[in-house]
Amino acid sequence: MMRRVVRQSKFRHVFGQAVRNDQCYDDIRVSRVTWDSSFCAVNPKFVAIIIEASGGGAFLVLPLQKTGRIDKAYPTVCGHTGPVLDIEWCPHNDHVIASSSEDCTVMVWQIPENGLESPLSEPVVVLEGHSKRVGIVSWHPTARNVLLSAGCDNQIIIWNVGTGEAMINLEDMHPDVIFSVSWSRNGSLLCTACKDKKVRVIDPRKKKIVAEKDKAHEGARPMRAIFLADGNIFTTGFSRMSERQLALWKTDSMDEPICVQEMDTSNGVLLPFYDPDTNIVYLCGKGDSSIRYFEITDEAPFVHYLNTFSTKEPQRGMGYMPKRGLDVNKCEIARFYKLHERKCEPIIMTVPRKSDLFQDDLYPDTAGPDPSLEAEEWFAGKNGGPILISLKDGYVSTKNRDLKVVKTNVLESKPATKVENVPTVQKHASPQSSVVSKMEDKLEEVLREFKSLRDRVILQDRRIARLEEQVAKVHGGKRKNSRSPCSHLKQRHFC
């Protein structure tokens, strides 16, 4: 009689655990806009959440440690005139975030070191080029200041954020709405999923479709496609019978999938989150109350089911922490930020280990925050893989990496006639000018704080005046012959 052999994997016993209530972010009005994006973006310093906002679009940016109840008056990033549809942190600067909106624009924002102290309505740069709402933004994984946006006008634009210019415009490649866009590991190729049921592999600099697959999933509901570290493509979608599917494809021969698996009959779009270091894909369905995770290997059936983390509450969106933001001492291999209707709940994925030593098999060198290329180099045709860092001693962030470079480039590019002049100005800038700019930034910060305090004092003064008026009205009947407190109030308020 043959014994069944269980597949060996160090991730077989990965388990998920939600944090305590006091470590959640409460009383957040998560956006209700009908768009299949994650609504949440996370990095080692901040969590950003798209929220309901009247008279335009807004999102919250909270320092990770600011847990508990979030005040309704907490400042937001509020420069868009229409609902915000997608947000993403820059992988090379933890203080820079891009947002796209129904107002047809993409905006890039610079978040202060300690988070927002007053509403932020002035972006570093506004990128205008789409004629319809913009549903996707994605930073280049290895080149500094390169940002991709995809809109409902069925075109993809790749921007040089440093100069605020649209450098590449991919038109006439997609006849319908683009559901997802993913960069390859070194950022040389794009992978897109479109409403016409095709998955396309595109070389953006040559403006050429390298490979495509028609009816990757035959269902009519939205698909998702992402690049894996080895160059293969992982897709999620729906079958003709509306069953949710996942599939694995080789980019050089997309006629037949490496494997296809059917999951269930739920109608929520599956959002894939991929960890290239461990080759694990986490699938989070919108409206689901679970996270399924799979390990991808070279052995059949290639996509191996590991486990499911389930809770009672359905998820409105999901944020995924980069590897450098995890706690390696607790063998944490992933952390999600699950959006409920009124709160954000961190979920920690852990591999159980007895030893307290650094587990180097769980934490191979991972992509660090330093770019391997400048924007101009990438647009000129150069490629570069991610610069890897070790997590053995934990990740320590550096202050304001190139934060001013983005701002300076943008400001200088507006009056300039030639783009080529911008880097030379950067290189030859004197140390004295950088000191002056730092002092100016500090002064601006102090002025912002002063304005915030002044506004708060005025509001409190008005509130006290209203309360005193109400008290005066209540006691007015009893003191007809005495001096009215209201006249004293008006005099005080006028002063």
Side-chain angles (χ1 to χ4, degrees), residues 157-170:
I157 300 177
I158 302 177
W159 310 83
N160 182 346
V161 176
T163 61
E165 286 184 298
M167 304 297 287
I168 296 170
N169 198 329
L170 303 177

Side-chain angles (χ1 to χ4, degrees), residues 357-378:
L357 298 173
F358 177 73
Q359 307 293 316
D360 52 5
D361 60 326
L362 299 182
Y363 301 105
D365 289 356
T366 190
D370 295 322
S372 54
L373 297 169
E374 294 297 327
E376 290 77 12
E377 291 178 303
W378 185 80

